[in-house]
């Protein structure tokens, strides 16, 4: 009888403990769900643009404020160092703000998502002519390898603008990448060496063709390739026969 009473009491205790455990588990689950719902209801904080140092050129009436690429802020931190000639170094930019020193007017260089990999001030000096100045940009603005993002694997296109960041003109063909460039003052022109994705594999490799593009600075527009297909075929016949 004593053993039966003990077992009965023990069983009762186990049932109560089990019910208490499930009750606690349910309450904990409900509490977690409520907390998660509250967290989801909170508005997500929007990231703020991060600006690099001011670019000040005495030749221009405009100050420039480069906007650092958001992905670069998260992955690499902010590096405000610049090379003396080309504004690229370790930084890449999503846009540039131009600020008029005289009247305070501001505007953006680009009206689209892009990566500015570098920008250079060009100054052409010709005897008995006023100096001409332009900004040359290398910009990634097309997802040429179709991976649904802009990055260094995509084409890098050349653009020119005036010192105010206006009159922006594309000067190198789509689906190409700038290798180098040089200004020839006597011709009032800029020559750019480019590589083309000539085999259409959505990559830029040693198998792709290179060429040179001439851009007339008197009338800025899409550059003209110097080496024609005919000349290239003739050259191949001499080299590889």
């Amino acid at each position: 009888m004593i053993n039966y009473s003990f077992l009965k009491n023990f069983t009762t205790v186990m049932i109560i403990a089990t019910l208490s455990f499930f009750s606690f588990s349910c309450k904990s689950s409900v509490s977690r769900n409520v907390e998660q719902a509250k967290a989801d209801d909170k508005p997500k904080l929007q990231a703020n643009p991060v600006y690099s140092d001011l670019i000040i050129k005495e030749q221009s009436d405009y100050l420039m404020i480069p906007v650092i690429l958001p992905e670069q802020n998260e992955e690499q931190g902010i590096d405000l160092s610049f090379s003396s000639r080309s504004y690229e170094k370790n930084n890449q930019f999503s846009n540039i703000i131009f600020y008029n020193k005289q009247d305070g007017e501001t505007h953006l260089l680009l009206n689209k998502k892009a990566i500015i990999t570098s920008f250079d001030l060009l100054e052409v000096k010709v005897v008995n002519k006023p100096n001409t100045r332009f900004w040359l940009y290398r910009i990634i603005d097309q997802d040429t390898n179709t991976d649904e993002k802009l990055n260094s694997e995509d084409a890098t296109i050349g653009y020119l603008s005036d010192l105010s960041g206006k009159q922006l003109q594309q000067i190198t063909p789509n689906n190409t990448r700038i290798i180098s460039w040089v200004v020839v003052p006597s011709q009032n022109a800029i020559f750019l060496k480019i590589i083309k994705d000539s085999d259409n594999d959505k990559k830029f490799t040693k198998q792709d063709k290179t060429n040179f593009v001439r851009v007339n600075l008197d009338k800025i527009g899409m550059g003209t390739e110097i080496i024609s297909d005919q000349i290239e075929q003739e050259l191949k016949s001499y080299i590889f026969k």
Side-chain angles (χ1 to χ4, degrees):
M1 186 68 178
I2 294 174
N3 291 338
Y4 174 76
S5 177
F6 170 77
L7 290 173
K8 182 179 180 181
N9 291 337
F10 178 76
T11 303
T12 302
V13 170
M14 289 297 294
I15 292 172
I16 292 172
T18 302
L19 291 174
S20 298
F21 172 77
F22 281 114
S23 175
F24 176 77
S25 298
C26 291
K27 288 180 180 178
S28 298
S29 178
V30 171
S31 177
R32 284 196 300 270
N33 291 338
V34 170
E35 290 176 358
Q36 183 62 44
K38 288 181 179 179
D40 292 340
D41 288 339
K42 289 182 180 179
K44 294 182 179 179
L45 295 177
Q46 187 175 13
N48 293 316
V50 176
Y51 306 115
S52 186
D53 288 345
L54 285 171
I55 306 290
I56 303 174
K57 294 294 182 182
E58 294 301 324
Q59 307 98 315
S60 174
D61 291 330
Y62 285 82
L63 303 180
M64 300 167 66
I65 307 172
V67 183
I68 297 176
L69 196 67
E71 291 82 355
Q72 184 170 275
N73 298 337
E74 297 173 1
E75 298 176 5
Q76 303 176 8
I78 303 171
D79 183 351
L80 300 181
S81 59
F82 288 111
S83 63
S84 59
R85 181 170 176 271
S86 179
Y87 298 95
E88 54 178 338
K89 202 69 174 181
N90 298 321
N91 284 323
Q92 293 184 331
F93 308 101
S94 58
N95 217 322
I96 299 174
I97 300 170
F98 284 80
Y99 171 81
N100 191 306
K101 293 183 285 188
Q102 307 301 322
D103 60 19
E105 179 266 336
T106 60
H107 61 269
L108 297 174
L109 173 70
L110 302 174
N111 60 359
K112 58 184 175 182
K113 184 178 179 65
I115 300 174
I116 303 170
T117 63
S118 72
F119 54 100
D120 298 86
L121 179 63
L122 308 184
E123 184 168 11
V124 183
K125 298 179 180 180
V126 181
V127 178
N128 298 325
K129 288 186 178 181
N131 295 348
T132 54
R133 302 181 182 93
F134 304 92
W135 282 108
L136 169 65
Y137 312 89
R138 302 184 198 188
I139 297 178
I140 301 170
D141 57 4
Q142 300 171 25
D143 178 23
T144 54
N145 66 350
T146 64
D147 63 353
E148 299 184 353
K149 57 185 177 182
L150 298 178
N151 54 38
S152 59
E153 303 301 317
D154 295 315
T156 305
I157 307 300
Y159 286 85
L160 284 178
S161 81
D162 60 21
L163 293 189
S164 71
K166 297 178 180 179
Q167 307 298 323
L168 187 68
Q169 292 280 339
Q170 181 177 341
I171 59 172
T172 58
N174 291 333
N175 213 25
T176 65
R177 181 176 291 174
I178 297 175
I179 298 174
S180 61
W181 54 267
V182 62
V183 174
V184 182
S186 61
Q187 299 294 311
N188 200 26
I190 179 172
F191 292 81
L192 304 101
K193 185 179 182 180
I194 61 171
I195 183 170
K196 303 186 287 185
D197 180 22
S198 52
D199 57 7
N200 295 314
D201 65 350
K202 300 179 182 179
K203 298 178 182 179
F204 294 94
T205 65
K206 293 181 180 179
Q207 284 68 46
D208 290 318
K209 295 180 179 180
T210 57
N211 207 323
F212 290 86
V213 171
R214 172 182 172 145
V215 178
N216 188 346
L217 296 177
D218 288 324
K219 188 177 181 181
I220 296 174
M222 183 63 69
T224 304
E225 292 187 20
I226 294 176
I227 305 172
S228 66
D229 290 339
Q230 179 182 348
I231 288 293
E232 187 171 89
Q233 291 303 318
E234 184 178 352
L235 181 62
K236 287 181 178 179
S237 70
Y238 301 144
I239 297 176
F240 302 112
K241 67 178 180 180

